[in-house]
């Protein structure tokens, strides 16, 4: 199936500048163009866009994504390297989630303390 840039922008919540940036950086490959020179995306492009966005949203730098794409293009001989990259990133993401949960607990405690103080001050009046 083929999709226009407008479709991708509207349905994947990504900007045209981001798509062009991904192409320029070499992490989104094989984007076709129609006879008017407009970009045409296929299902594989959409999978890559979603994957790249997941990696970026979880803090992977563009340079690491480029490294992954380069390994991917080399084929099955790089499966272990790619798996290791993903396992390392997964660990980093999990550590960040754990840290964020600790911070959330502290913030929740503070909110609960304020609510308790509010309740006590209403009872005094």
């Amino acid at each position: 199936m083929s999709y226009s840039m407008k479709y991708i922008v509207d349905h994947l919540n990504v900007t045209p500048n981001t798509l062009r940036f991904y192409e320029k950086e070499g992490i989104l490959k094989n984007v076709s163009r129609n006879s008017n020179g407009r970009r045409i995306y296929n299902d594989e492009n959409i999978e890559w866009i979603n994957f790249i966005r997941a990696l970026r949203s979880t803090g992977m730098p563009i340079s690491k994504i480029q490294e992954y794409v380069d390994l991917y293009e080399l084929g099955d001989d790089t499966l272990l390297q790619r798996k290791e990259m993903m396992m390392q990133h997964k660990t980093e993401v999990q550590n960040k989630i754990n840290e964020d949960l600790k911070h959330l607990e502290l913030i929740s405690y503070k909110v609960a303390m304020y609510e308790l103080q509010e309740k006590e001050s209403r009872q005094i009046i």
Side-chain angles (χ1 to χ4, degrees):
M1 188 126 191
S2 297
Y3 307 93
S4 67
M5 182 180 282
K6 179 172 178 15
Y7 177 90
I8 300 297
V9 167
D10 291 345
H11 290 85
L12 298 185
N13 194 28
V14 61
T15 68
N17 285 343
T18 298
L19 293 169
R20 287 189 286 269
F21 176 75
Y22 289 168
E23 278 187 75
K24 185 180 134 235
E25 293 299 314
I27 59 176
L28 179 60
K29 305 207 180 233
N30 304 319
V31 176
S32 302
R33 294 187 182 255
N34 66 14
S35 59
N36 296 326
R38 294 193 174 154
R39 289 170 174 83
I40 300 294
Y41 300 90
N42 60 31
D43 292 330
E44 183 180 358
N45 298 138
I46 289 174
E47 287 179 31
W48 273 103
I49 292 165
N50 287 328
F51 183 56
I52 292 166
R53 291 183 69 224
L55 295 175
R56 290 293 299 137
S57 293
T58 54
M60 183 178 278
I62 292 292
S63 60
K64 275 294 210 191
I65 298 172
Q66 286 172 326
E67 183 182 336
Y68 179 88
V69 170
D70 292 344
L71 289 170
Y72 178 84
E73 289 186 322
L74 291 174
D76 288 347
D77 290 344
T78 66
L79 281 172
L80 291 177
Q81 289 171 277
R82 287 182 278 148
K83 178 184 175 188
E84 181 60 35
M85 282 183 76
M86 288 300 105
M87 288 173 51
Q88 181 180 351
H89 187 65
K90 178 183 175 186
T91 299
E92 291 169 7
V93 170
Q94 189 62 57
N95 290 342
K96 175 74 169 101
I97 289 169
N98 292 341
E99 184 178 327
D100 286 347
L101 285 172
K102 286 179 191 174
H103 295 156
L104 180 60
E105 287 175 15
L106 182 60
I107 293 166
S108 295
Y109 171 78
K110 195 67 167 177
V111 168
M113 293 304 297
Y114 284 127
E115 288 173 350
L116 183 60
Q117 286 176 330
E118 278 182 328
K119 186 177 180 180
E120 288 173 354
S121 69
R122 277 186 253 136
Q123 289 176 352
I124 294 172
I125 298 175

